[in-house]
Amino acid sequence: MISVCMATYNGELFIREQINSILPQLGQGDELIISDDGSTDSTVEIIKGIEDSRIKLLHGNFRNVIKNFGNALSNVSGDFVFLADQDDIWEEKKVERSLEILKEYDLVVSDSVIVDEHLQLLYPSFFDFYGSGKGMLKNVLKSTYFGSCMAFRRSLLQQSLPFPDTREIGHDLWIGLVGEMTGKVCFLKEPLIKYRRHNTAFTSAGTGKSNRRLYVKLKGRVIMAWEITKFYLNYKLCKKG
């Protein structure tokens, strides 16, 4: 069984197109879990208007994309979990190719093509544009684990929960780091989504440099290092036990 988890907030412009690219790839026993963070536009009405029993709509008031995704992820039933943003487009073979990789790996991060709001090509490879790849230190310094491109085994999700209670480590980065510490991770250089960039996007990944002050960045890295160390020591202790 497959669980697709999506977090929404004021996504009326593109949400229907994204859902319509996902549902045809799912079986009748799969699920699309959508957690809405109190949208004030017509996002919820659009979702409700798509009559499909596989859609499970949750409501929250987090004002926090990490907690919003966490709400969806805490309700999964599937053996394999896919993350989806509200404004991208899945390529037709995304689920099929990801499941092939997950036969041997615990987590797969696929490449994507970067497009504008009208789906016009901006860059042919997000991996090349952003320098994506494995590596603990590499991803602590600059995360290349982007949830919209990730699929993983439910067992990895269970290892990753609960997520660290900090905004310094995104849910996707944390799952990626736990994957590197406990299992096998694959960066698949094959574009399986159209990664849409526009003015109302949740994140601005790949669109420019961070405006955060240096001391704020350093504080964030220290928090990450502490959370990683705690997890790793506990993981090794449990393995010995």
Side-chain angles (χ1 to χ4, degrees), residues 50-212:
I50 301 173
E51 297 182 359
D52 193 303
S53 61
R54 295 171 294 181
I55 298 176
K56 299 179 180 179
L57 178 60
L58 310 176
H59 300 276
N61 190 28
F62 309 106
R63 294 298 184 267
N64 182 313
V65 66
I66 299 173
K67 292 186 181 297
N68 199 23
F69 263 110
N71 187 41
L73 287 163
S74 65
N75 285 277
V76 302
S77 302
D79 304 301
F80 300 98
V81 182
F82 288 69
L83 299 182
D85 283 353
Q86 65 182 6
D87 43 14
D88 298 327
I89 298 290
W90 282 19
E91 302 288 4
E92 292 183 1
K93 298 292 186 180
K94 177 176 170 63
V95 169
E96 179 183 330
R97 286 291 292 128
S98 298
L99 292 179
E100 288 175 2
I101 302 301
L102 289 173
K103 290 177 182 178
E104 298 183 24
Y105 292 87
D106 299 284
L107 182 153
V108 57
V109 186
S110 63
D111 202 353
S112 61
V113 294
I114 306 174
V115 298
D116 66 14
E117 59 186 300
H118 304 295
L119 301 182
Q120 296 301 306
L121 182 66
L122 297 177
Y123 205 85
S125 168
F126 185 89
F127 278 11
D128 291 345
F129 185 83
Y130 207 62
S132 300
K134 290 189 293 185
M136 293 290 293
L137 180 59
K138 167 189 176 66
N139 283 286
V140 166
L141 294 177
K142 179 183 177 183
S143 174
T144 61
Y145 283 104
F146 288 96
S148 59
C149 300
M150 289 169 56
F152 43 89
R153 294 175 178 268
R154 186 179 180 185
S155 56
L156 174 56
L157 174 61
Q158 293 169 333
Q159 288 265 37
S160 304
L161 294 173
F163 296 137
D165 189 17
T166 172
R167 288 177 177 266
E168 294 298 332
I169 309 177
H171 58 284
D172 42 8
L173 172 59
W174 182 249
I175 293 170
L177 295 176
V178 171
E180 292 206 27
M181 288 186 278
T182 66
K184 295 173 63 180
V185 173
C186 172
F187 274 75
L188 177 67
K189 196 167 183 358
E190 179 179 339
L192 297 183
I193 71 166
K194 291 182 173 67
Y195 184 73
R196 189 178 342 226
R197 298 296 81 203
H198 55 94
N199 291 335
T200 58
F202 271 155
T203 63
S204 57
T207 61
K209 294 183 178 180
S210 170
N211 293 321
R212 299 207 305 172

Side-chain angles (χ1 to χ4, degrees), residues 21-32:
S21 76
I22 294 172
L23 289 177
Q25 301 189 47
L26 303 184
Q28 287 305 308
D30 298 333
E31 61 186 4
L32 170 56

